[in-house]
Structure formats: structure tokens, C-alpha cells
Amino acid sequence: MRREAFLSFARFVAIMLPFGLLVGALVSQYVGGLFPCEMCMWQRWPHLLAIAAAMAAIGLRRNPFGSGVFTLLAALFIATSGLIGVYHAGVEYGLWEGVTTCSTMARPTPGQSMLDSIMEARLVRCDVAPWSLFGISLAGYNALFSLGGALLIFALLRKWSRS
């Protein structure tokens, strides 16, 4: 594999992984009806930052050093989301205590006061997994994919820098 291919593939993973995970989160929210809790929202912010860093890396593709730095930054943001996912999954599995507040998704309808919409809104608890597959919650899957993807990017950047 050519040296440039390692950096190119690292940039590809750095933009597609957080984009795919965010799309999955939004589809599960708006199509599947799985409203996010506060810690779910915390996991989304680093992915948005990772996308911005990966876009900068793609924009700097003619400057390999700058592109590598922004790709590394994207990997760090992806890993951050994964670590938040580990924390959230631990809260869901009862391994430790998380935040003690609950969040709501209040959406007032026309003619409805904000207070009425808040009072009718569904509470979303951080310590209850609304969905799981093979015993792994969405937070757990975010942790697995994010940390695995970050490790892949780190490995690709290491190969790129050494070749």
C-alpha cells in the first residue's frame, strides 16, 4: 500500500464513521422513536467536532502534515465520544451511577404553551437502555464503533508516518 493511501483511508474513516453514527442516532430518534437522554446527546457533540476536523483534513489533503494533524484530531474526538459511550453504557448496566437528572424532548404544538408541552413530554432516563441487541445498548455500540474506529485511524496514521 502506498504511503498516501494510509492517510487517505484514515481521512475516509474519520469522516464516515462519525457521520454514520450520527445518522444512525438521528434515524433511531426520528424514525424509531428512541428519544435521547442527556448522556446520549453528550456522545453526539464529539462526533460533530470529528466531522469538522475530518473536513479540514480533507481540505488540506495537498498538505500531508496538516491533513494528518486534523485527521488525528478527528480520531481524538471520535475516541472521546466512545469514552462517553463507555461511561453511559456503564450507567445503563448499573456498574456505576450517572447523572441524576432526566431529560425530555418537549415540542410544543401550535396553540400549546411551553409549560404544557413540558408537562406532557416523555421523560428519558439515562440509566435505562431503551433498545439493545445481543445485550448491548446503543451507548455500548457507540463505544465499540467509536473506540474501534479511533484505534483504526491511529494505526493508519502510524503506518503513514513511518512509511
Side-chain angles (χ1 to χ4, degrees):
M1 192 178 223
R2 289 188 5 229
R3 181 174 192 253
E4 300 85 30
F6 291 117
L7 181 57
S8 180
F9 188 56
R11 284 192 307 252
F12 176 78
V13 173
I15 195 149
M16 293 309 294
L17 179 68
F19 178 77
L21 289 172
L22 278 175
V23 166
L26 293 172
V27 166
S28 71
Q29 178 180 343
Y30 291 106
V31 176
L34 300 174
F35 295 105
C37 69
E38 187 174 351
M39 285 197 284
C40 292
M41 297 302 289
W42 294 351
Q43 293 170 73
R44 294 180 186 187
W45 291 107
H47 284 311
L48 290 169
L49 293 171
I51 290 169
M55 288 173 62
I58 291 168
L60 291 169
R61 66 184 167 275
R62 302 228 186 272
N63 175 354
F65 178 76
S67 183
V69 168
F70 277 98
T71 304
L72 177 62
L73 189 59
L76 291 172
F77 287 132
I78 293 167
T80 300
S81 179
L83 292 173
I84 296 169
V86 167
Y87 176 68
H88 188 189
V91 169
E92 291 174 336
Y93 300 137
L95 300 176
W96 46 76
E97 190 173 324
V99 295
T100 56
T101 59
C102 297
S103 59
T104 64
M105 296 296 288
R107 295 187 189 134
T109 57
Q112 183 183 32
S113 73
M114 182 58 92
L115 181 59
D116 288 339
S117 70
I118 290 171
M119 296 304 289
E120 293 173 5
R122 195 169 104 193
L123 285 178
V124 182
R125 295 175 46 128
C126 292
D127 61 347
V128 176
W131 180 90
S132 68
L133 179 65
F134 307 120
I136 302 173
S137 67
L138 288 173
Y141 279 110
N142 179 57
L144 291 171
F145 286 119
S146 295
L147 293 174
L151 288 174
L152 175 61
I153 295 167
F154 292 142
L156 290 166
L157 288 174
R158 184 177 167 102
K159 283 187 175 269
W160 166 72
S161 69
R162 291 185 178 238
S163 51

